[in-house]
Amino acid sequence: MAESIALHTKLKPGTEDEYADAHAHIPPELVVALKEAGVKNWRIWRSGLDLFHVVDVENYQAMRHALADHPANVPWQARMAELLAVKDDYSGEDAGIQKVWELP
């Protein structure tokens, strides 16, 4: 059963258009790598500089470990590091944003 993980990242000021453009042109090899790592869906919302992600994935930590040094992910993460205020950590040790409540 897949899990849903919420994430929060923040853009550097002035990079909003570059971030949107990058995500309008996700490299096909990255899409394949994400799917092979168990990602079922990944959605991102933006409010100002704040980015909110919801990732549906088989195993979040396993996905992070699988993509940490993946040749399709490394250049993507380098590009995102230019746009994000804080570098993404692919150690696989994070658990995303803590869920407080869910409609039963």
Side-chain angles (χ1 to χ4, degrees), residues 47-70:
S47 177
L49 298 176
D50 292 296
L51 301 167
F52 301 93
H53 312 243
V54 175
V55 184
D56 298 321
V57 60
E58 287 300 321
N59 180 311
Y60 179 69
Q61 276 75 30
M63 178 269 293
R64 297 290 266 195
H65 285 292
L67 293 175
D69 296 318
H70 194 287

Side-chain angles (χ1 to χ4, degrees), residues 15-91:
T15 64
E16 299 91 337
D17 290 341
E18 289 178 76
Y19 186 84
D21 184 60
H23 283 80
H25 303 96
I26 302 288
E29 60 274 15
L30 180 59
V31 172
V32 169
L34 289 165
K35 289 181 178 183
E36 287 176 350
V39 176
K40 304 300 180 197
N41 198 0
W42 193 315
R43 297 169 303 274
I44 305 171
W45 291 264
R46 184 176 68 81
S47 177
L49 298 176
D50 292 296
L51 301 167
F52 301 93
H53 312 243
V54 175
V55 184
D56 298 321
V57 60
E58 287 300 321
N59 180 311
Y60 179 69
Q61 276 75 30
M63 178 269 293
R64 297 290 266 195
H65 285 292
L67 293 175
D69 296 318
H70 194 287
N73 190 45
V74 170
W76 178 259
Q77 290 308 316
R79 176 67 178 126
M80 291 301 103
E82 297 171 354
L83 306 174
L84 297 175
V86 176
K87 185 179 182 296
D88 196 3
D89 173 21
Y90 260 83
S91 69

